[in-house]
């Protein structure tokens, strides 16, 4: 199934849902598109909902996803990545944080949203 990415603007953050196979090529292209579209967002916080995608296949792909997030979304204030229960490895989070990006991985949506909104207004400077 091809990877589909849906963006929805919500109060305080943007929700991005990934649905489809967790293959590296489509993921890289999706993050490249997000880099461009996120420039127009009024919010500087994003929830990357990867639960429908399933787990990333291995540590190499997890590291590359962390690197892509750091490369493409470093202009955002907070990035919450939501994965399925038991899928959290912290590998992509570690890579992105080493590159100075404020990424956290969650298995619970309520906790992810709370963390995003705790930053205060997630809007771009005027």
């Amino acid at each position: 199934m091809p990877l589909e990415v849906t963006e929805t603007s919500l109060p305080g953050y943007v929700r991005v849902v990934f649905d489809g196979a967790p293959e590296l090529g489509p993921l890289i292209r999706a993050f490249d598109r997000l880099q461009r579209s996120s420039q127009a967002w009024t919010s500087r916080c994003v929830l990357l909902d990867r639960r429908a995608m399933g787990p990333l296949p291995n540590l190499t792909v997890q590291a590359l996803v962390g690197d892509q997030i750091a490369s493409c979304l470093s202009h955002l204030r907070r990035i919450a990545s939501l994965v399925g229960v038991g899928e959290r490895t912290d590998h992509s989070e570690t890579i992105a944080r080493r590159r100075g990006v404020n990424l956290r991985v969650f298995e619970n949506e309520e906790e992810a949203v709370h963390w995003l909104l705790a930053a205060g207004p997630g809007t771009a400077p005027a």
Side-chain angles (χ1 to χ4, degrees):
M1 175 169 138
L3 185 65
E4 293 182 22
V5 180
T6 307
E7 299 174 27
T8 306
S9 185
L10 298 167
Y13 67 101
V14 174
R15 177 190 196 86
V16 177
V17 176
F18 294 81
D19 190 4
E23 297 172 356
L24 187 56
L27 276 170
I28 289 172
R29 288 188 293 280
F31 282 114
D32 286 341
R33 286 190 304 275
L34 281 175
Q35 179 180 31
R36 291 187 298 278
S37 66
S38 63
Q39 299 295 327
W41 296 348
T42 56
S43 179
R44 299 287 94 187
C45 296
V46 64
L47 173 68
L48 304 174
D49 187 345
R50 298 184 355 221
R51 293 177 295 180
M53 198 174 65
L56 297 174
N58 56 53
L59 290 178
T60 301
V61 172
Q62 292 170 20
L64 290 169
V65 165
D67 190 62
Q68 277 298 113
I69 290 171
S71 294
C72 297
L73 302 177
S74 62
H75 58 286
L76 299 177
R77 238 170 87 211
R78 284 190 174 200
I79 303 164
S81 181
L82 184 59
V83 298
V85 174
E87 294 177 14
R88 182 177 176 176
T89 65
D90 293 330
H91 206 57
S92 61
E93 181 176 335
T94 300
I95 299 296
R97 286 185 165 275
R98 283 186 186 155
R99 296 206 36 213
V101 173
N102 196 8
L103 168 69
R104 285 201 48 201
V105 177
F106 296 87
E107 292 180 340
N108 179 287
E109 184 170 358
E110 186 176 308
E111 290 174 8
V113 171
H114 181 266
W115 179 76
L116 285 173
L117 298 178
T123 57

